Amino acid sequence: MQVSKDHPRYKSLVVREMMSKMVKEGIVTPTGMIAHGRGEAFDYLLGERTTENALNAEETAVALLLKASKPVISVNGNTAALCGKEIVHLAKMVGARIEVNLFHRTRLRVDKVCRHMERAGAKGVLGREPDALLPGISSERANSTIEGIFSADVVLVPLEDGDRAEALVKAGKKVIAIDLNPLSRTAKAASITIVDELTRAIPNMITMASSLKADPERRRRLIEKFDNSENLAESLEIIRARLEHLAQEGKA
Ligand code: PTJ
């Protein structure tokens, strides 16, 4: 489909076209389009911008990744499609491993997503040969690797709503979620929830990683001060205030 650049939702339409191509290639699962649509709806409510509290969560998340001794970035189909290259860049900046972990898991799909990440420059991608099961997870997401998520101390989990974040926290790990829905189970269970659109959040985090690397004192303060319940409440308040403002405009 040809998308006109003058269309008011040009960027959104281009991303949708790319995602639907990725569905045909088997990288994004068909229900990944529904997940994407839910994300777009929440982004609309948040004003399609990175909020102050999201920026703070992003910076704190980078501080935590830099502090970690075994950080891992978990990648699913949507994440690989939306920002594979940027994930590889961030992983290099913070010294994290990349593990492909899928909800709709088949060997073929895992291999396709791993290859997609390898084409984006990733080395040593984990996930093709899971050798451990994370306890307390009812889905295929329990499959993990001992080298990666199973023994990680900090796990970055972009774009999922499920029982894995809670199970990872129960297993003693710090979990960083990236999720536009501040009400999702993952958002509530995570140690740090970045309520921002993935393709805005990851480039921000790459930039932050350069300056935070040289500033251990700032890293320490960010981690010490962060409170995820407050952070989520701020996102909800932004949505509430925006809806109120729009409702008043509608009346005027
Ligand atoms: O590739 P698979 O098989 O592992 O499947 C991946 C999906 C995304 C289909 C699977 O994890 C899933 O069904 O996810 P959910 O339960 O729909 O949760 C996705 C969450 O991510 C929702 O809370 C969305 O609001 C949020 N989300 C969607 N797109 C974005 C997003 N958050 C940030 N940036 C986005 N671009």
Side-chain angles (χ1 to χ4, degrees):
M1 189 192 87
Q2 194 64 29
V3 184
S4 158
K5 283 199 169 153
D6 319 329
H7 194 286
R9 304 212 57 78
Y10 174 74
K11 188 171 169 247
S12 158
L13 293 176
V14 169
V15 174
R16 285 185 194 184
E17 279 299 306
M18 180 278 288
M19 294 288 276
S20 91
K21 194 172 139 256
M22 290 287 177
V23 171
K24 285 185 195 118
E25 287 180 20
I27 288 166
V28 173
T29 180
T31 61
M33 295 298 273
I34 299 169
H36 183 74
R38 187 192 297 170
E40 280 194 329
F42 274 99
D43 204 21
Y44 202 85
L45 294 176
L46 284 154
E48 294 175 313
R49 70 202 160 91
T50 301
T51 61
E52 276 300 311
N53 64 305
L55 263 185
N56 181 50
E58 283 159 15
E59 207 180 1
T60 311
V62 174
L64 195 62
L65 285 164
L66 288 169
K67 188 185 172 197
S69 46
K70 287 191 85 181
V72 175
I73 303 180
S74 178
V75 169
N76 61 19
N78 286 46
T79 303
L82 285 168
C83 62
K85 275 198 182 127
E86 293 78 5
I87 290 280
V88 174
H89 192 166
L90 179 65
K92 280 187 189 146
M93 295 291 289
V94 300
R97 297 294 301 264
I98 291 174
E99 180 162 331
V100 170
N101 176 288
L102 302 181
F103 184 68
H104 302 278
R105 184 187 178 94
T106 62
R107 279 186 84 86
L108 182 64
R109 246 194 100 220
V110 172
D111 190 52
K112 283 187 177 183
V113 179
C114 286
R115 277 207 222 176
H116 182 82
M117 294 305 293
E118 284 156 1
R119 279 196 299 271
K123 301 261 183 300
V125 178
L126 299 163
R128 282 187 177 97
E129 303 293 341
D131 51 9
L133 277 182
L134 286 159
I137 301 175
S138 52
S139 68
E140 292 283 339
R141 280 184 183 138
N143 288 291
S144 63
T145 70
I146 292 173
E147 223 185 323
I149 292 172
F150 192 79
S151 55
D153 55 348
V154 176
V155 187
L156 173 61
V157 173
L159 232 150
E160 77 179 43
D161 179 3
D163 53 5
R164 190 163 68 124
E166 193 182 351
L168 290 170
V169 168
K170 273 198 185 140
K173 303 172 196 308
K174 297 273 183 212
V175 175
I176 301 163
I178 302 180
D179 189 346
L180 280 159
N181 177 5
L183 298 165
S184 79
R185 280 174 300 170
T186 295
K188 287 185 190 160
S191 325
I192 298 176
T193 304
I194 296 167
V195 184
D196 196 7
E197 206 282 319
L198 186 71
T199 64
R200 290 195 301 266
I202 299 292
N204 284 347
M205 291 169 77
I206 291 169
T207 308
M208 289 162 176
S210 311
S211 56
L212 277 179
K213 265 187 177 182
D215 197 343
E217 183 48 29
R218 181 161 177 78
R219 296 203 301 265
R220 195 190 57 74
R221 267 188 283 120
L222 282 163
I223 295 170
E224 200 178 273
K225 273 177 55 187
F226 190 81
D227 179 325
N228 204 37
S229 311
E230 270 174 27
N231 169 48
L232 291 176
E234 276 173 50
S235 293
L236 285 173
E237 175 53 28
I238 288 165
I239 293 175
R240 191 203 61 75
R242 189 166 141 77
L243 286 176
E244 190 175 296
H245 175 74
L246 292 172
Q248 290 304 328
E249 262 188 359
K251 276 189 209 156

